[in-house]
Amino acid sequence: MKDMLAEAMSPGNVRHVKNAAYTAVFAADKEPGRSTRKLMDLETAHGAHPAYVSSLPSKITLLLGSGAVSKRIRKLGSHLLSPLSPSPVVSTSNEAWAVKNTTFAAQQFMLAATACGLRTLPMEGFDERRLAAILDMSTDDYTVPVVICVGHSTEESDQLAKITEQSVELSYSKSLPNTSIDLPKKARFPIEDMCFSEKFGQKPDFL
């Protein structure tokens, strides 16, 4: 799979994919509004107030409804409301909204990897058509805004090879304060619905 992914990358990024321990491909749903019912069920299962759940279809339709004419009307309405009350800018492209929100997830992925002592390399130099073919992903439904390589640098890998697992755990435990914060658990789609391995829709082995 690594060599196949490398073939979809621009020449300058081929070596990064081949040398990385792991490569993550982030795909954005071009029509995120189609997950409305799934989101409603998820929020209900996590105890969201019924009034909030019932308001989701209208809110999502306002923001992500399909149809070029309706999008332009919503954009104009948002523009006219702005002088009277703060109103979000309604994009005429659901794809643009999806890409923006997917990059939020990519950013969190990079921060989490860094927190675990790993290095990340975001890349936008790739052939999306080749990626989609390799991953069995529909380009009509999804687009790929970023690909991220993850791993240790060559120097770090050499150093880690000389460190025992016990000393790593000891060093890690000493470097972090013994604190815990109880935060309310937010509703999240199951990871097996959001993360795939090798092929689009294929459940990762670690799940």
Side-chain angles (χ1 to χ4, degrees):
M1 175 58 72
K2 184 180 290 189
D3 290 337
M4 293 174 65
L5 285 177
E7 291 179 359
M9 307 304 294
S10 299
N13 290 330
V14 171
R15 65 183 180 89
H16 298 312
V17 172
K18 288 189 173 183
N19 293 334
Y22 181 83
T23 299
V25 179
F26 285 80
D29 189 341
K30 292 182 178 180
E31 289 295 339
R34 60 186 157 203
S35 297
T36 300
R37 171 50 58 183
K38 192 174 181 180
L39 177 61
M40 293 173 69
D41 293 341
L42 180 68
E43 292 287 4
T44 299
H46 280 75
H49 194 282
Y52 167 73
V53 176
S54 63
S55 72
L56 287 175
S58 59
K59 291 178 178 178
I60 293 174
T61 299
L62 173 64
L63 183 65
L64 300 171
S66 60
V69 175
S70 63
K71 289 176 184 177
R72 290 191 177 94
I73 292 175
R74 293 197 307 275
K75 186 175 182 179
L76 176 60
S78 174
H79 180 71
L80 294 176
L81 279 174
S82 182
L84 304 175
S85 176
S87 181
V89 175
V90 178
S91 172
T92 57
S93 170
N94 286 350
E95 182 176 341
W97 183 92
V99 166
K100 179 178 67 175
N101 282 269
T102 300
T103 55
F104 291 158
Q107 178 194 42
Q108 293 299 326
F109 175 84
M110 294 174 67
L111 290 172
T114 302
C116 292
L118 300 171
R119 295 288 183 266
T120 60
L121 178 65
M123 300 171 292
E124 58 178 351
F126 52 80
D127 188 322
E128 185 174 338
R129 294 156 298 189
R130 292 193 179 193
L131 275 180
I134 293 168
L135 301 174
D136 288 341
M137 181 179 70
S138 169
T139 53
D140 292 333
D141 297 326
Y142 297 91
T143 185
V144 178
V146 64
V147 174
I148 302 177
C149 285
V150 185
H152 292 284
S153 67
T154 303
E155 181 181 351
E156 289 172 331
S157 297
D158 293 340
Q159 293 175 348
L160 286 172
K162 301 175 184 178
I163 302 175
T164 64
E165 182 177 349
Q166 182 178 4
S167 65
V168 171
E169 291 178 353
L170 179 62
S171 173
Y172 184 73
S173 63
K174 286 184 177 180
S175 65
L176 294 177
N178 185 20
T179 59
S180 62
I181 301 175
D182 293 327
L183 296 175
K185 187 175 181 180
K186 294 182 68 65
R188 291 286 185 266
F189 286 130
I191 189 171
E192 59 267 24
D193 289 352
M194 309 302 294
C195 299
F196 311 118
S197 177
E198 304 295 334
K199 299 293 184 180
F200 190 83
Q202 181 170 308
K203 184 178 178 179
D205 296 334
F206 59 83
L207 295 178

